[in-house]
Amino acid sequence: MQELTKLGITEILNDWNYWKRDFEAYVPRTEYLNTIRRFRKSGEIIVLTGIRRSGKSTLLKLEMQDLAQHVGKEALLYINFEDPRFGDTIDTRTLDMIFETYRETINPDGDVFIFLDEVQNVNGWEKWVRTAYELQKAKVYVTGSSSRLLSGEIATSISGRYLQLAVYPLTFSEFLAFQNVECKNIMDYSAKKIEIHRLFAEYLRYGGFPRVASIDEDLKKEELVSYYNTILLKDILSRFRLRNFEKLKKLARYLLTNDTKQNSINSITRALKYNYQTVEDYIDYLRQVYMVFELRNFSYSLKKQLISDTKYYAIDTGFVNAVSFSFSQNIGRLYENVVFNELMRRGKTTFFLNEGGSECDFIVQEGNAITGAYQVCYDLNEQNLQRETSGLVMACKTFGLTRGSIITESTIKTTVEDGVEIRIVPITVFLLGLAEEV
């Protein structure tokens, strides 16, 4: 590839930055933006991590748009390290050249806010960022598509100098905002219930990736498959120098089509006839790029937790449907996956509980105490009511809780079972944070 020159860098920077053009219009994600602006006041390095296409770059641009009103566009330098014109090997020398070119052509001596997008593509980026921070050359924002972006030596290098924010696909509340539907309270919900239920069916099928939420339905699955393959190829196969794409693809599909079910490395090894270490490594890679999350059976013993069976949940139900054959047969599992994601995005530490033949889908831990219990059942009926109720009551009794919740399709009801108050709420009510209002 041709050597990168300052003229070439200038062309790349002009393509990506807003010095001579207007910002695009984006739907704001208020909670994230408020957090970023609060972080900004600290003067620390701001780090956004999350799965590819979850909206990290858009949040950077919205932050730039806000900053431009105070410091001017020339103070903002955005670099997208996914641009192929930077070449295959990007290191701190490239960063030096970019910064020098920017200073020479755009902003010779003013304050600088620098935005490094997908920074994991830059070898030694953390040393450059630390130097920029300590010498006050710039206020620095970085994004990356790996949970290990700040692990090991990198975390040590900039330890105490950064604030981190994980960015996920849209919550259902954000998804409604993308569809121009406002629902702030139970009165809004009641007035817009039909539209909300229609949109929830779409959210369940195609998930919450921002662009997928914004394009025509006939393009959604194609877009999801493209994300899925790009993450496997670029973020895993290429980054970890794996050789067998089909093997990785088969394991990813196995986890997504068996999401919410109890599994173990041994059971997956037997099912796929793979080597144990291969399965363990591939699952770790899928977790690093945020495609799947794991949930463990609760125990006060950390050792018992680590050796217990595990449930895997997809970052987005759109991925589950993109690799599955039947949406209708998956609805119960999709409900459970959506509730897991919502609890995670609310910052809850969750486990499942399987004891004495009864199971509770989710228990929530805050500090050293269990503070909540949730059962998820798409079709709650006379045949399964006792099973779902007994699992919830078992969890509540185990941890001394006086109340638990069953999340289902549309039922609103409160009952008492063995001294435990059981609140049955529709999943849309739960996702919109309105459960206490019904």
Side-chain angles (χ1 to χ4, degrees), residues 137-149:
K137 292 170 61 177
K139 300 288 174 57
V140 183
Y141 297 70
V142 304
T143 79
S145 297
S146 171
S147 64
R148 298 286 177 88
L149 183 71

Side-chain angles (χ1 to χ4, degrees), residues 84-100:
R85 290 174 290 180
F86 282 124
D88 296 327
T89 305
I90 312 173
D91 55 23
T92 56
R93 290 172 297 178
T94 311
L95 277 170
D96 284 335
M97 189 181 294
I98 291 170
F99 193 75
E100 188 177 312

Side-chain angles (χ1 to χ4, degrees), residues 298-313:
F298 178 83
S299 172
Y300 285 108
S301 164
L302 180 59
K303 182 178 180 180
K304 288 183 179 179
Q305 276 186 23
L306 293 176
I307 63 174
S308 71
D309 279 358
T310 301
K311 291 185 177 184
Y312 294 97
Y313 291 87

